[in-house]
Each structure stands twice: as structure tokens, then as C-alpha cells.
Amino acid sequence: MSTPFSDGTRSVHAGLPAPAVGEPFLPGPVFAAPYHLDPATGPGEHGYARTEHPTRELLEAAIGELEGGPALAFSSGQAAITALLLAVLRSGDTVALPADGYFTVRAFAESFLRDLGVTTVLVPTAGPYPDLTGVRLVLLETPANPGLDVCDVRAVAAQAHRAGALVAVDNTTATPLGQNPLALGADLVVASGTKALTGHSDVLLGYVAATDPELLGRVETWRKQTGAVPGAFDCWLAHRSIATLDLRLARQSRNAEALASLLVSRTDVTGVRWPGLPADPSFAVASAQMRRIPGVVSFDLGTAERVARFLDAARLVFAATSFGGVHTTADRRAQWGDDTSPGFVRFSCGIEDTADLIADVTAALDASR
Ligand SMILES: *Cc1c(COP(=O)(O)O)cnc(C)c1O
């Protein structure tokens, strides 16, 4: 491909097969576990869906094009992350994990990984990063969910590589149109496709991408032998949704910018975090490293009761966990038992019209005071 296409074009065309007369642009989901085999030669291109599947392969091609390295799809983000951890780590290894990242990853490390003899070091995303000597794998999550701190992937990757460690980046919040960790020096990308990548709140999906075939091969063998593959319909829904990724992110980001400006102007809201705000602690690193800032904003309304009143009063903000979807949602994280304060809200801007959303949030904040 000679012309470097821009994000909207890349989203629409990612992973599509070459045009063929009478065939759809994106072939429909193939519902089959086994396929006909050639009795003489045995397994060919497709034999059994856990190992290879045509609909999944098209989705993987799309994600791989956007990430800049071959990708493997998993049945959820957690399936992808745990596959990466278990395929890479051995008893006696040390793994560095974000202290402020997706909490289920820490829970997994503190139970199953610990039982396997793997030591975990927790590092805040914003740093400082400790001496990484003796660390086998550094998993970064930037921007971190839910606090939205950002780390300098290039700098941490250089430090980790000097110490002999591998670097993986959880790219869930940014998506591959927000940043490309492989181009920033990471060895692996891991992500939940459940969030903004697919964006319609209707599929669970995860993926691992890596440019080193040996490394990705190990993850693929892990997936083949443990079986956490996504189904055909979910792969097809995800691929269909990626066509609008650029448009969705653009509106979500614009809504987040307007929302963050509103929130910092109010005296009844504290702790506003959005890496695109010039006053945000993550602004400098995010502007240098990211191609766009996601639609997630975090802030504090003081008490659980005020968050409930706010969500009751809002017409356009659904109370829901997860984020990155076309509908605006908000989640009081402390209700899930993670270590945020009682009034902490992770707010995910949807693709509603900016003026409607801002008016609705303003009215709901006023009503909840
Ligand atoms: C949601 C999320 C995950 C887990 O993804 P699932 O698809 O829910 O399994 C991992 N990392 C981050 C940053 C997430 O937000």
C-alpha cells in the first residue's frame, strides 16, 4: 500500500477481503466448529474453529492493521491479559503491574499468579518506575482505568529493555487509533475490545498483538490449548463496529473535552481528570504520545448519595459499568469494591450531540446538589 491512509479510511477498510464480484464487503459470520477435510491430505486452511476460524481471522487482520502488528482475538479482555501473563511468566519470575490499572488484573496476580510462584510489583502508572532488574514482564496501562494517569511508553520501554524485561501495554482506553504501543517500543499490546474498540456495549472481546513471531506464537499456542476464543457472531459484530471507530472516537473525544471544561468550572465537582485538559497532570505526556484523547473523564461528587441523585436526574447518562460505548454511561467505581473514594465517578462520553449532553449533565449536577 503506497498511500498512508488516515484513520477514517483505515477504520472502514480494516481487515476487509479483496473485492470479489457477488460477495459482500464484509462476509457474514461463519457458524461452524469443524470443516470438511480433504480425506487424502487432512487439515488444510480451516479444520477446527478453536485453532483457526475465517470470521475471527478477518477481525484479527483488522485489529492487526490498526495496531501495527499481528493480533490474536480472545473471548474477553481478561482472557487476553491472562493468556499473555501465563504464556510469558514462569515460577520464580517477577511481573510489574500498574498499581492503579484494571483491578481484576491485580486480583489475578495476587491469587493465581502468586500461587504459581510469580512475584508481583505494583507501580503507579504516573511513576516513579523502580529499578526493573530481575523483572520478566512490565505491563503498562495508559491511560490507566479508572484514574486516567498516563505514562511515557517509550521511556519505560527503554528502561525495561535495558533491564532485560518485556513490555506489554494495555491499550483498552486509548484504542489503536489513540496510540500504537508497538510503534512506541512495546513488545506486546493487550486490550479489551469490549470498550471503545467495538463501542456498542454488545460484545465481550480481547486481543493480544506483537511483532515478534516467537512471542505471539507462544500466546497462540496458549490460546489453542486453553480455548478462550471469541465466537463467530461476536467477531463479526466487532469487525462491523470497527468501521465507525474513527467517527465514534471523534465525537466521544469532543464530548469529553466539553464535559471536562464544564466540570472544572464548577465548585461542586472535584478531582476532574481528562488527559486532554491543559491543566491535567497527564497532559504533557498524553499530547506527546497519543494521537487522540479518549472520551472517558473521571471526577468526584463527594458522596455515594450525590452520585445516585445525579444519575437519577440525568436523562442521557446511563448508570452502567464498562465504558467507550455509543451511549453515555457513568460508574461509581467504589460500588465494585475497588479502592476509589465513595463519590468517584468514571464517566464515559457517548456519541450524543455535545450540546444535549452538556445541558443534561449541567441540569443533573444542579438537581443533585
Ligand atoms: C475492561 C478492561 C479489561 C478487561 O476486559 P474484559 O473484556 O471485560 O474482560 C482490561 N483492561 C482494561 C483497561 C479494561 O478497561
Side-chain angles (χ1 to χ4, degrees):
M1 198 157 54
S2 52
T3 327
F5 288 125
S6 294
D7 286 352
T9 312
R10 295 169 65 230
S11 302
V12 171
H13 286 274
L16 294 188
V21 174
E23 295 296 324
F25 306 158
L26 174 65
V30 175
F31 295 114
Y35 301 80
H36 289 295
L37 298 178
D38 182 327
T41 60
E45 201 185 343
H46 295 116
Y48 189 59
R50 196 179 70 240
T51 329
E52 60 272 319
H53 187 283
T55 309
R56 192 171 78 220
E57 283 158 16
L58 291 178
L59 170 67
E60 290 173 338
I63 295 171
E65 281 175 29
L66 297 180
E67 281 292 0
L72 295 168
F74 284 82
S75 51
S76 71
Q78 272 310 107
I81 293 170
T82 54
L84 160 70
L85 295 171
L86 292 167
V88 167
L89 298 169
R90 292 294 169 269
S91 182
D93 281 348
T94 297
V95 62
L97 298 179
D100 48 348
Y102 191 65
F103 73 107
T104 312
V105 177
R106 288 196 300 284
F108 178 76
E110 283 153 14
S111 54
F112 292 103
L113 283 187
R114 190 202 53 208
D115 292 349
L116 289 174
V118 174
T119 304
T120 298
V121 188
L122 295 178
V123 185
T125 296
Y129 283 78
D131 181 2
L132 296 170
T133 308
V135 172
R136 171 85 181 116
L137 172 71
V138 180
L139 174 65
L140 304 174
E141 187 181 310
T142 178
N145 166 23
L148 303 178
D149 271 332
V150 170
C151 73
D152 184 337
V153 174
R154 220 186 280 278
V156 178
Q159 186 196 340
H161 288 155
R162 279 195 300 275
L166 289 169
V167 176
V169 175
D170 185 326
N171 209 22
T172 302
T173 306
T175 84
L177 293 193
Q179 68 192 2
N180 290 119
L182 296 175
L184 295 168
D187 303 289
L188 299 127
V189 175
V190 66
S192 169
T194 311
K195 319 291 170 55
L197 182 75
T198 61
H200 289 69
S201 305
D202 53 11
V203 290
L204 280 171
L205 187 79
Y207 66 88
V208 175
T211 39
D212 175 8
E214 199 272 327
L215 208 46
L216 198 66
R218 234 184 312 164
V219 177
E220 185 169 20
T221 301
W222 175 272
R223 186 185 67 174
K224 182 163 102 181
Q225 294 177 358
T226 59
V229 290
F233 189 59
D234 284 1
C235 288
W236 179 81
L237 276 177
H239 199 162
R240 183 184 190 272
S241 302
I242 286 174
T244 57
L245 180 58
D246 172 71
L247 288 173
R248 288 184 280 110
L249 292 178
R251 175 64 68 84
Q252 287 171 337
S253 190
R254 195 192 323 153
N255 283 350
E257 182 172 22
L259 177 76
S261 311
L262 165 74
L263 296 175
V264 293
S265 76
R266 295 185 64 112
T267 53
D268 60 344
V269 180
T270 60
V272 180
R273 291 299 307 270
W274 187 62
L277 276 178
D280 191 274
S282 293
F283 180 76
V285 184
S287 328
Q289 167 170 286
M290 302 184 68
R291 293 159 57 212
R292 61 178 92 201
I293 308 298
V296 185
V297 179
S298 61
F299 54 89
D300 204 311
L301 292 184
T303 62
E305 293 71 27
R306 181 159 187 233
V307 176
R309 289 198 301 275
F310 166 71
L311 290 172
D312 251 357
R315 295 160 66 204
L316 300 181
V317 186
F318 295 160
T321 192
S322 196
F323 59 91
V326 294
H327 315 85
T328 292
T329 60
D331 193 15
R332 192 178 73 80
R333 288 304 306 166
Q335 74 186 319
W336 302 98
D338 72 6
D339 50 7
T340 52
S341 62
F344 176 91
V345 176
R346 183 186 63 205
F347 192 102
S348 175
C349 294
I351 61 166
E352 295 88 352
D353 290 290
T354 308
D356 291 342
L357 183 61
I358 296 304
D360 190 54
V361 170
T362 303
L365 286 172
D366 290 344
S368 68
R369 244 190 324 226

